[in-house]
């Protein structure tokens, strides 16, 4: 009886020690929450809730399995459509993609959690006008007169505007911390955000940067990062109609040894009728961040411009 009690106490003590050890592993030597490591935000959960799940924010296990199978099959570009633009644009098969084959663990049907319908809020009239102008500009690229007529994405200047979402590849990040700073390196375009921690002011409004100007603070175990001072370019496909006055607030919370809960809220009264929030996990990966090269837009500009001249001659 006494031996059993001692054994029970030992088990409880070891369990408590294990919990304390695990908790201490999420603290830096100087006492800040520890987010360091290599992480991936890979998921095939769509940003917006598909219309078919309009009244279903969360799937059952069986529904999720069937949905994942359908999404993976839909992304199989080995199902060719010769002679189409899509066949050229999607010329890489599954070997080259890194989308993953799973939706988020809680089986949500959208990354957006607010508004409750899981959809991006409506564009303002001013944003709708910018959207129409962007579409006309995109058509203009087909007959570009110079390299300046191509956007910064096509020219490989930047492809990783904030906030970052899971894409077809390069969904990997490395977080490194030091007292007073958090650095986040993203694999695509290998941009590194160096985020000061504290109450320091943002840069003057006259200073604009591709990835904005970020300032961080700790709220308990959560790193809260507010980013302002964006440019009118490099907004990415989801945020391309946003203005340089967009504000981004990100929240990073370590919830397990291998998971960071990541949430972001974007607001821009000149673009959307209300702010909106998305949530997705960053899962630890055991590999390394690799070099990303984007030379096609640089070396290919000669061919892109010659193609425009050839298109003009056909008119």
């Amino acid at each position: 009886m006494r031996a059993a009690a001692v054994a029970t106490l030992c088990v409880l003590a070891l369990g408590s020690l294990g919990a304390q050890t695990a908790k201490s592993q999420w603290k830096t030597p100087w006492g800040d929450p520890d987010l360091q490591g290599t992480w991936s935000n890979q998921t095939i959960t769509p940003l917006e809730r598909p219309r078919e799940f309009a009244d279903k924010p969360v799937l059952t296990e069986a529904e999720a399995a069937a949905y994942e199978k359908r999404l993976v099959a839909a992304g199989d570009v080995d199902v060719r459509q010769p002679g189409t633009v899509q066949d050229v644009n999607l010329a890489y098969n599954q070997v080259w993609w890194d989308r993953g084959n799973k939706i988020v663990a809680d089986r949500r049907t959208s990354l957006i959690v607010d508004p409750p319908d899981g959809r991006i809020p409506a564009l303002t009239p001013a944003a709708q006008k910018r959207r129409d102008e962007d579409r006309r500009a995109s058509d203009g690229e087909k007959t570009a007169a110079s390299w300046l007529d191509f956007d910064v994405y096509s020219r490989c200047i930047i492809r990783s505007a904030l906030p970052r979402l899971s894409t077809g590849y390069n969904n990997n990040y490395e977080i490194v911390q030091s007292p007073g700073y958090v650095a986040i390196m993203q694999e695509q375009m290998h941009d590194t955000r160096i985020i000061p921690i504290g109450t320091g002011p943002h840069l003057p409004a006259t200073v604009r940067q591709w990835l904005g100007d970020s300032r961080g603070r700790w709220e308990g175990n959560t790193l809260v990062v507010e980013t302002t001072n964006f440019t009118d370019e490099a907004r990415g496909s989801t945020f391309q109609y946003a203005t340089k006055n967009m504000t981004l607030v990100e929240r990073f919370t370590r919830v397990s040894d291998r998971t960071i809960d990541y949430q972001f809220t974007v607001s821009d009264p000149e673009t959307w009728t209300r702010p909106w929030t998305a949530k997705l996990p960053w899962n630890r990966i055991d590999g390394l961040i690799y070099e990303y090269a984007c030379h096609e837009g640089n070396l290919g500009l000669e061919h892109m411009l010659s193609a425009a001249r050839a298109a003009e001659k056909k008119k």
Side-chain angles (χ1 to χ4, degrees):
M1 188 73 169
R2 184 175 299 171
V6 170
T8 299
L9 288 173
C10 287
V11 169
L12 291 174
L14 288 172
S16 176
L17 179 61
Q20 292 176 10
T21 301
K23 188 173 182 180
S24 67
Q25 288 176 348
W26 305 344
K27 291 287 186 181
T28 62
W30 55 93
D32 287 341
D34 193 347
L35 303 173
Q36 298 178 104
T38 307
W39 311 87
S40 172
N41 67 356
Q42 176 196 82
T43 180
I44 56 175
T45 299
L47 176 64
E48 294 189 274
R49 185 174 303 152
R51 298 297 184 188
E52 65 179 297
F53 300 129
D55 299 317
K56 200 173 187 64
V58 178
L59 300 176
T60 66
E61 289 189 21
E63 289 170 336
Y67 184 45
E68 289 168 343
K69 184 176 181 180
R70 180 153 55 93
L71 289 177
V72 171
D76 184 4
V77 296
D78 277 339
V79 179
R80 310 304 295 267
Q81 298 177 342
T84 65
V85 172
Q86 183 183 23
D87 188 48
V88 176
N89 289 340
L90 300 178
Y92 301 98
N93 65 20
Q94 296 294 73
V95 171
W96 301 99
W97 296 110
D98 192 29
R99 300 184 184 93
N101 55 14
K102 296 291 183 182
I103 62 174
V104 291
D106 56 8
R107 304 191 301 276
R108 282 179 289 117
T109 52
S110 67
L111 297 180
I112 292 177
V113 293
D114 184 55
D117 65 359
R119 307 286 297 182
I120 296 175
L123 294 175
T124 64
Q128 292 175 26
K129 182 179 179 180
R130 291 196 298 275
R131 177 194 60 193
D132 295 340
E133 291 173 348
D134 284 347
R135 287 174 178 173
R136 286 193 293 271
S138 297
D139 290 338
E141 282 193 355
K142 298 174 184 176
T143 56
S146 82
W147 54 273
L148 290 173
D149 292 324
F150 290 93
D151 62 22
V152 292
Y153 181 96
S154 299
R155 289 154 56 196
C156 287
I157 292 176
I158 187 169
R159 290 192 167 188
S160 48
L162 297 178
R164 288 299 310 275
L165 295 167
S166 177
T167 62
Y169 56 91
N170 291 107
N171 296 309
N172 306 320
Y173 304 81
E174 183 175 3
I175 299 179
V176 178
Q177 295 172 238
S178 67
Y181 292 91
V182 174
I184 304 177
M185 184 178 77
Q186 50 200 40
E187 191 167 50
Q188 188 169 85
M189 297 301 283
H190 47 78
D191 290 310
T192 301
R193 303 169 62 191
I194 300 178
I195 304 167
I197 305 300
T199 58
H202 283 282
L203 293 173
T206 53
V207 179
R208 300 286 169 170
Q209 303 185 123
W210 295 122
L211 298 181
D213 179 51
S214 297
R215 294 291 183 270
R217 65 181 185 274
W218 294 106
E219 291 185 358
N221 291 323
T222 297
L223 172 64
V224 181
V225 180
E226 180 184 73
T227 303
T228 60
N229 296 63
F230 288 105
T231 71
D232 279 327
E233 298 184 86
R235 301 303 319 124
S237 59
T238 302
F239 311 94
Q240 60 185 322
Y241 310 125
T243 71
K244 61 185 179 182
N245 298 318
M246 185 184 92
T247 297
L248 167 68
V249 177
E250 301 166 284
R251 294 178 176 273
F252 300 79
T253 307
R254 185 79 172 267
V255 294
S256 76
D257 186 53
R258 302 190 67 84
T259 306
I260 290 175
D261 178 82
Y262 173 73
Q263 299 185 42
F264 69 79
T265 299
V266 291
S267 58
D268 183 359
E270 300 175 70
T271 301
W272 299 288
T273 53
R274 57 160 291 181
W276 53 279
T277 300
K279 173 182 175 180
L280 64 158
W282 283 25
N283 296 308
R284 178 181 287 279
I285 55 176
D286 298 318
L288 301 173
I289 295 287
Y290 286 91
E291 179 185 7
Y292 173 89
C294 180
H295 294 305
E296 294 85 354
N298 297 322
L299 303 178
L301 275 174
E302 177 183 354
H303 304 292
M304 294 155 73
L305 290 170
S306 64
R309 303 291 79 76
E312 290 172 348
K313 292 179 179 179
K314 290 183 179 180
K315 292 183 178 180

